[in-house]
Amino acid sequence: MKLAYWMYAGPAHIGTLRVASSFKNVHAIMHAPLGDDYFNVMRSMLERERDFTAATASIVDRHVLARGSQERVVDNILRKDKEEHPDLIILTPTCTSSILQEDLQNFVNRASIISDSDVIFADVDHYQVNEIQAADRTLEQVVRYYLDRCHRQEKWDQFLTDAPSVNIIGIFTLGFHNQHDCRELRRLLRDLDIEINQIIPEGGSVEDLKNLPKAWFNLIPYREVGLMTAMYLNKEYGMPYISTAPMGAVDMAEWIRQIKKNVNTLALSSSSKRVDYEPYIDRQTRFVSQAAWFSRSIDCQNLTGKETVVFGDTTHAASITKILVREMGIRVSCTGTYCKHDAEWFKEQIKGFCDEILITDDHAEVGDMIAHMEPSAIFGTQMERHIGKRLDIPCGVISAPVHIQNFPLGYRPFLGYEGTNQIADLVYNSFALGMEDHLLDIFGGHDTKEIISKSLSTNIGLIWNPESRLELSKIPRFAREKVERNTEKFARQKGIETITVEVIYAAKEALNT
Amino acid sequence: MSVKINENITVECETGNYHTFCPISCISWLYQKIEDSFFLVVGTKTCGYFLQNALGVMIFAEPRYAMAELEEGDISAQLNDYEGLKKLCIRIRKDRDPSVIIWIGTCTTELIKMDLEGMAPKLEWEIGIPILVARANGLDYAFTQGEDTVLAAMAHRCPEPEFSVRKPKEIIQIFFFHSRKKEELVEYANHPSLVLFGSLPSNVTSQLNLELKRQSIKVSGWLPAQKYTDLPSLGDGVYVCGVNPFLSRTATTLIKREKCKLIGAPFPIGPDGTRAWIEKICPVFGVETQGLEEREERIWESLKDYLDLVRGKSVFFMGDNLLEVSLARFLIRCGMIVHEIGIPYMDKRYQAAELSLLQDTCIKMCVPIPRIVEKPDNSNQIRRIRELQPDLAITGMAHANPLEARGINTKWSVEFTFAQIHGFANARDVLELVTRPLRRQKNLENLGPTTLVRK
């Protein structure tokens, strides 16, 4: 039992529902009590979805507790089958069904005999995996189900496409800027003259899954979801995959080179010609993406050595850290992720790019770390944005979990060459806002706000007299908190209870010597 | 026009596959109402995820609620529940020092049969803070019924009254809104004490207090009060009256356990409801109402612009917060046509007066009594909405955008729970909510197609 106010990743069933509702004509039925269908609200609100979310609940109530779900789950599956004719129905367990330990697999078996739809039981355990892991597993489960069946029926067409082609795996609903990223990837692949065989799960059809192996290789833009599927396809069908995230100019180039390698390897055995993408990379990096030029411009010079903190999912936190350090010359004091299950990969990726690594899913720990580091800017999730607000530190949102403002209508990819421009804007705006703030302070500004202590730490027992308060307010805002804290630290060390103007300056002197 | 109406109210029941909020959401308004409380939800990540998403930005404001998140060890009883809860409660006492900790039982605590009621008194004695237990779970309840479970638990903690009948007459001066200059001496009638139950924002409680004060009736207290330490006295001879339609458990507890006398009345939502509410309370204390009819008339007068907008328009309640009957009754009185009143749960005894007012209103307005559907089935309802094409569907957020995309105006039902809708003064707020989609539609009239879905 632990005290919790906030979590970075949701419960397992959310992951399954996200995969299910991303596919076309797939319906999820949750085995859950009243009120657990909150996913529908999120999808309808955050994604501003125009269609009814294809997820319903088979309600668990008192009667179910007393007598078991009995016919209810089967009835609900068959009813959905009749009403909506989905290709696939996924029975989704929740924390409640984990405890009830009913044989839901048995219900699925019974229902699948009668129903026209395919029916599967999502193999996720609420107490073992979180939202992200569950999404990864469910996607793999669905792909495996259709490929296995196809295999058994020997309706097998294993020939690769003539021209080079790829599958993009892991674009899905409620993903951070996924729709825009997807559009950007399409554009890139068209530039490279590579066909897209399938994009799953978003907008994909389960009936087409049997054709997945026709692609030459797989692209996994975000390692959180899709990697399991890629590994399965690699093991069973020998499909290579690229799990580098094409985020930032350097990784973009790396990603394209990996594509080249894969294309050329397979081109040997087919009639296709070998490709060379170097001129493309060069042109894009120098002229289409503004990020490389931006790094050399005067603007970016001012960012040299500024300290930042990065926190988010593994893909975004690692990529943004690398962009800040090697593409903009900004110092990253600490990088962290809440994806504890993938910590090893993460540590390896950012080794040498930051001073400290933080692996935690406790937002208070992240808050304390930020308060302690006092960076000039934060790049994190919505939670870090709020921590930043309290500490008066600007924050750019780079990763889920997010609010509705992170589902912009305008085109805002994080991936690809356009993505590098978006990220550069995001980074620059976060710092520039902070800088303007400081200039206002230095030149007297229009800051009439009273000082409120926004410190996350406690400062018990110290009294600032009115003169010292006034003096503190004259100090530019960006330095004020630091001065306040240092003074208090000094006072505490010296056993001073009332802070006067003298104490402030004594503290300053003590610090300088 | 004469329409012969000769029907009784019937309540149909569907499958119960409908969307609503989990009842633990009640903590979002109750922690704000009861200033010295702390709510501890004993549940899983699922509960926490719902709270953090449903309550949005509140999460960042250091709220006085938290999750006691159960882990696998708690479920399989490898860990000691009592010690776990004790540790958390001691930490809460240290960080926040509340006057009361309210444990919210969830589906999981029900399923694993965690004995919260048994542990609470023991822990309460050990750590010195009152601990209440409310089983606000999705197995048994919907949305606003969560408040009902909390208030029912709280009723047990109300002190015994010292006097069953109030002290000698008090004479109080009050200023009437409409006659500011004229000071009137108002005398409270000598009546037994009256306690109102239901959580409302403090300015709404004072509005309702004042409304009764005009009729010389004194409200001795509210359940809940602004502070836990100010709970009203309850007991034999105390009269109680509800202000919200979802408080049937609380009402039952007050009657059975606390020996209070319940005044069955329609709920003070809309000017008609408010008047009927006062008119039910006054005679109980032998008081004749004064100036109510004129007051109601004046309110209707002030709503004229909105009434012109809604008159003749049709509305469909999908049902998720139990306010539906009262709202439908008010909207029918406003001249709207109600196709269907979906409602999660219908307590015909507790809502008796409201139902009969609904019936009277329908007769008065010459419209048939709408069908009331308990435990509705959302997919059936959506089919009915498509057939009926109502001018407005009052529905949850899960269906709002998809319906809008299909050209159906919607109003998010949860807003009625959070807005101030009680009493004469707030009738305008209800209509402000109801007319907003209609006004928006008017503003966008010339924008082109209203259905924006791919077929």
Side-chain angles (χ1 to χ4, degrees):
Chain A
M1 207 180 283
K2 66 177 186 194
L3 204 59
Y5 298 89
W6 166 268
M7 64 187 96
Y8 284 100
H13 71 272
I14 298 288
T16 299
L17 294 178
R18 283 174 66 187
V19 170
S21 53
S22 295
F23 276 115
K24 261 192 315 214
N25 212 21
V26 171
H27 200 102
I29 294 182
M30 279 175 275
H31 187 241
L34 200 62
D36 273 3
D37 57 352
Y38 191 73
F39 172 76
N40 299 28
V41 176
M42 290 178 63
R43 193 165 127 91
S44 168
M45 290 314 293
L46 297 179
E47 293 263 38
R48 301 181 188 87
E49 186 52 61
R50 301 176 199 203
D51 282 314
F52 292 99
T53 300
T56 42
S58 172
I59 303 283
V60 177
D61 59 15
R62 276 288 154 194
H63 301 287
V64 171
L65 288 199
R67 301 176 308 153
S69 293
Q70 293 190 347
E71 299 304 314
R72 193 182 282 205
V73 173
V74 178
D75 286 348
N76 279 317
I77 294 174
L78 296 177
R79 186 180 157 197
K80 252 325 133 199
D81 173 49
K82 226 170 81 195
E83 284 176 356
E84 316 241 330
H85 312 292
D87 297 328
L88 171 68
I89 294 174
I90 302 181
L91 182 61
T92 310
T94 59
C95 57
T96 308
S97 42
S98 290
I99 302 168
L100 281 177
Q101 297 197 325
E102 282 189 276
D103 191 0
L104 294 174
Q105 183 63 55
N106 177 34
F107 295 141
V108 164
N109 296 345
R110 274 168 52 201
S112 60
I113 296 168
I114 314 167
S115 85
D116 292 328
S117 316
D118 301 320
V119 190
I120 64 174
F121 176 59
D123 178 26
V124 291
D125 181 339
H126 176 90
Y127 294 98
Q128 305 288 331
V129 293
N130 66 21
E131 171 186 355
I132 296 169
Q133 293 162 293
D136 202 13
R137 270 167 199 243
T138 304
L139 183 57
E140 192 247 16
Q141 195 188 353
V142 172
V143 169
R144 185 190 288 267
Y145 176 82
Y146 280 96
L147 282 173
D148 280 357
R149 193 173 69 179
C150 194
H151 224 99
R152 274 200 312 275
Q153 294 171 347
E154 291 177 5
K155 285 192 283 186
W156 201 239
D157 172 13
Q158 237 188 339
F159 294 111
L160 293 185
T161 54
D162 296 334
S165 64
V166 292
N167 298 316
I168 301 177
I169 301 175
I171 303 284
F172 68 145
T173 190
L174 292 172
F176 183 71
H177 292 244
N178 272 199
Q179 313 292 347
H180 311 285
D181 285 348
C182 185
R183 210 170 117 193
E184 182 66 11
L185 290 179
R186 277 172 186 276
R187 199 178 65 86
L188 271 167
L189 292 164
R190 197 174 56 227
D191 282 356
L192 300 176
D193 223 2
I194 293 174
E195 277 172 22
I196 294 171
N197 183 46
Q198 276 180 47
I199 296 173
I200 58 166
E202 186 63 48
S205 155
V206 287
E207 297 299 327
D208 295 339
L209 291 177
K210 60 176 185 294
N211 292 325
L212 276 178
K214 290 168 90 64
W216 287 26
F217 55 96
N218 292 317
L219 297 175
I220 317 299
Y222 322 102
R223 61 180 289 105
E224 284 78 23
V225 180
L227 205 54
M228 272 183 85
T229 311
M231 276 148 65
Y232 160 75
L233 290 170
N234 180 253
K235 189 165 153 266
E236 297 292 321
Y237 300 91
M239 292 181 80
Y241 63 89
I242 297 172
S243 61
T244 304
M247 203 186 307
V250 177
D251 277 350
M252 261 315 299
E254 162 70 14
W255 184 74
I256 293 178
R257 288 186 188 116
Q258 285 184 29
I259 289 177
K260 184 183 83 175
K261 206 175 119 221
N262 278 305
V263 170
N264 285 343
T265 315
L266 286 162
L268 281 179
S269 53
S270 77
S271 53
S272 298
K273 57 182 192 303
R274 291 175 60 90
V275 291
D276 180 21
Y277 296 137
E278 289 306 324
Y280 177 76
I281 295 173
D282 180 65
R283 202 172 56 247
Q284 293 285 322
T285 311
R286 288 203 294 153
F287 303 112
V288 174
S289 162
Q290 303 293 322
W293 156 238
F294 171 72
S295 304
R296 309 221 169 263
S297 71
I298 290 297
D299 276 342
C300 202
Q301 201 181 73
N302 284 341
L303 302 183
T304 308
K306 287 253 183 271
E307 288 184 41
T308 57
V309 165
V310 180
F311 195 84
D313 62 19
T314 45
T315 302
H316 288 87
S319 296
I320 295 290
T321 302
K322 287 189 273 185
I323 292 170
L324 289 173
V325 175
R326 69 183 172 196
E327 296 182 25
M328 293 182 176
I330 295 166
R331 185 161 153 219
V332 177
S333 310
C334 178
T335 298
T337 183
Y338 55 84
C339 300
K340 285 159 106 176
H341 61 276
D342 205 13
E344 288 316 307
W345 177 87
F346 184 74
K347 285 180 191 161
E348 191 193 312
Q349 283 295 303
I350 55 163
K351 207 158 72 187
F353 286 103
C354 60
D355 306 341
E356 266 180 56
I357 297 173
L358 182 69
I359 310 285
T360 181
D361 54 6
D362 178 358
H363 72 88
E365 221 176 296
V366 181
D368 288 347
M369 185 267 297
I370 293 173
H372 169 71
M373 298 242 171
E374 294 182 57
S376 312
I378 311 165
F379 296 95
T381 71
Q382 277 295 335
M383 190 31 125
E384 283 69 49
R385 197 171 74 87
H386 283 272
I387 293 169
K389 262 190 188 164
R390 287 168 59 196
L391 295 168
D392 232 343
I393 302 172
C395 176
V397 176
I398 53 130
S399 161
V402 286
H403 286 173
I404 191 151
Q405 64 261 43
N406 302 107
F407 291 88
L409 301 174
Y411 187 47
R412 299 253 195 288
F414 269 63
L415 303 183
Y417 286 109
E418 178 54 29
T420 61
N421 293 337
Q422 295 291 340
I423 293 170
D425 275 344
L426 181 74
V427 171
Y428 182 66
N429 287 340
S430 303
F431 281 108
L433 288 177
M435 195 85 84
E436 270 164 40
D437 225 29
H438 299 170
L439 290 174
L440 277 176
D441 273 325
I442 288 165
F443 295 112
H446 40 64
D447 179 19
T448 50
K449 272 185 281 176
E450 275 188 47
I451 316 164
I452 31 171
S453 172
K454 295 190 191 88
S455 156
L456 285 175
S457 59
T458 51
N459 50 344
I460 317 145
L462 288 168
I463 303 153
W464 290 71
N465 75 2
E467 289 80 1
S468 65
R469 273 269 163 235
L470 192 67
E471 196 64 24
L472 188 65
S473 71
K474 290 179 193 158
I475 294 166
R477 190 141 48 128
F478 69 97
R480 199 183 288 152
E481 273 223 74
K482 215 168 202 166
V483 172
E484 189 179 4
R485 239 187 316 274
N486 285 337
T487 310
E488 283 174 357
K489 199 168 139 197
F490 174 79
R492 231 172 269 128
Q493 276 168 1
K494 298 281 171 190
I496 299 166
E497 279 173 14
T498 309
I499 294 172
T500 60
V501 178
E502 284 81 347
V503 177
I504 299 180
Y505 290 105
K508 186 168 184 287
E509 277 166 34
L511 206 73
N512 288 342
T513 51
Chain B
M1 189 173 70
S2 73
V3 179
K4 196 159 176 260
I5 295 162
N6 191 11
E7 37 182 344
N8 281 315
I9 290 179
T10 48
V11 178
E12 294 168 44
C13 191
E14 278 191 311
T15 62
N17 284 320
Y18 63 102
H19 165 76
T20 182
F21 272 19
C22 172
I24 58 173
S25 53
C26 69
I27 65 173
S28 67
W29 63 88
L30 288 176
Y31 94 83
Q32 292 186 48
K33 173 70 191 177
I34 310 165
E35 289 166 358
D36 51 354
S37 61
F38 192 97
F39 287 81
L40 184 67
V41 182
V42 188
T44 61
K45 255 189 182 344
T46 308
C47 313
Y49 195 67
F50 164 70
L51 281 180
Q52 97 180 29
N53 284 298
L55 309 190
V57 287
M58 274 189 221
I59 289 280
F60 300 105
E62 297 221 8
R64 291 185 317 281
Y65 63 80
M67 291 286 310
E69 193 185 312
L70 300 171
E71 292 161 299
E72 196 160 24
D74 300 305
I75 305 302
S76 51
Q78 288 162 342
L79 302 172
N80 187 321
D81 298 336
Y82 184 79
E83 288 306 318
L85 281 168
K86 183 174 156 189
K87 219 172 74 197
L88 300 193
C89 287
I90 286 174
R91 208 176 123 194
I92 290 165
R93 185 182 62 180
K94 183 172 148 267
D95 292 351
R96 306 292 177 91
D97 193 27
S99 310
V100 61
I101 296 176
I102 297 150
W103 287 351
I104 302 291
T106 61
C107 304
T108 312
T109 57
E110 291 294 311
L111 292 174
I112 63 174
K113 304 204 166 32
M114 191 185 273
D115 183 19
L116 294 175
E117 275 94 347
M119 287 186 279
K122 208 172 138 204
L123 189 58
E124 172 169 333
W125 184 82
E126 214 177 328
I127 69 168
I129 295 179
I131 296 175
L132 300 189
V133 180
R135 299 176 168 202
N137 62 69
L139 294 168
D140 300 307
Y141 306 108
F143 196 14
T144 48
Q145 289 180 290
E147 175 181 323
D148 195 20
T149 64
V150 173
L151 296 191
M154 206 166 271
H156 296 313
R157 300 301 182 105
C158 292
E160 294 275 317
E162 286 171 36
F163 307 95
S164 56
V165 179
R166 287 189 343 92
K167 284 171 280 179
K169 289 182 181 179
E170 292 173 39
I171 295 177
I172 295 140
Q173 283 188 328
I174 60 161
F175 297 90
F176 274 68
F177 287 130
H178 57 276
S179 57
R180 284 229 162 172
K181 282 176 204 144
K182 198 169 60 183
E183 285 181 28
E184 288 181 58
L185 283 178
V186 172
E187 206 174 289
Y188 279 132
N190 186 12
H191 64 81
S193 73
L194 169 68
V195 170
L196 301 180
F197 58 95
S199 165
L200 294 178
S202 65
N203 55 332
V204 180
T205 59
S206 29
Q207 281 166 13
L208 290 180
N209 284 346
L210 199 67
E211 219 57 73
L212 288 171
K213 194 176 191 177
R214 291 175 170 199
Q215 308 297 339
S216 72
I217 287 182
K218 185 176 165 85
V219 177
S220 320
W222 281 76
L223 174 70
Q226 206 67 25
K227 286 208 149 99
Y228 176 74
T229 46
D230 296 340
L231 281 181
S233 304
L234 289 177
D236 207 356
V238 173
Y239 282 82
V240 292
C241 187
V243 297
N244 266 324
F246 45 76
L247 298 171
S248 49
R249 272 176 71 93
T250 310
T252 314
T253 309
L254 291 172
I255 301 167
K256 296 236 167 95
R257 292 279 306 260
E258 308 296 322
K259 312 283 175 232
C260 299
K261 293 192 179 66
L262 178 73
I263 303 173
F267 302 100
I269 293 168
D272 50 339
T274 309
R275 177 181 166 191
W277 182 69
I278 297 170
E279 279 175 345
K280 284 280 183 190
I281 294 173
C282 288
V284 175
F285 301 119
V287 170
E288 215 169 294
T289 60
Q290 278 171 3
L292 264 185
E293 201 179 329
E294 298 81 53
R295 183 145 169 73
E296 190 198 348
E297 209 42 58
R298 252 198 321 278
I299 299 291
W300 285 117
E301 203 65 35
S302 70
L303 300 176
K304 207 178 157 302
D305 50 340
Y306 280 165
L307 294 179
D308 289 342
L309 263 175
V310 297
R311 196 170 298 118
K313 298 262 176 19
S314 60
V315 55
F316 189 109
F317 285 89
M318 284 185 79
D320 69 351
N321 59 15
L322 284 93
L323 294 171
E324 291 87 359
V325 174
S326 310
L327 288 172
R329 178 260 304 151
F330 169 53
L331 294 183
I332 291 171
R333 181 66 183 73
C334 289
M336 294 187 89
I337 297 146
V338 175
H339 288 305
E340 174 167 331
I341 306 175
I343 187 167
Y345 169 71
M346 182 74 225
D347 185 336
K348 281 193 197 154
R349 271 171 60 195
Y350 177 62
Q351 294 223 40
E354 182 65 77
L355 286 170
S356 106
L357 182 60
L358 171 72
Q359 198 167 11
D360 294 348
T361 305
C362 289
I363 291 167
K364 189 173 171 187
M365 302 303 291
C366 291
V367 291
I369 295 173
R371 66 195 291 190
I372 299 179
V373 181
E374 197 183 7
K375 292 181 186 300
D377 184 287
N378 278 169
S379 57
N380 291 346
Q381 282 185 315
I382 285 164
R383 210 167 303 133
R384 294 199 285 269
I385 287 178
R386 281 181 170 162
E387 280 162 23
L388 294 164
Q389 293 286 319
D391 294 304
L392 181 68
I394 295 181
T395 174
M397 209 60 124
H399 304 301
N401 267 340
L403 284 172
E404 290 279 354
R406 282 158 184 77
I408 306 273
N409 289 313
T410 62
K411 184 74 228 141
W412 188 30
S413 53
V414 174
E415 285 189 66
F416 292 101
T417 327
F418 293 117
Q420 304 188 349
I421 60 170
H422 292 76
F424 284 121
N426 294 315
R428 200 171 172 83
D429 289 42
V430 182
L431 284 180
E432 154 71 29
L433 287 177
V434 171
T435 56
R436 198 178 298 157
L438 304 173
R439 283 178 286 137
R440 196 231 342 225
Q441 192 202 24
K442 221 172 167 183
N443 292 343
L444 303 181
E445 228 162 28
N446 302 320
L447 194 65
T450 50
T451 47
L452 297 159
V453 282
R454 286 199 187 87
K455 283 286 166 242

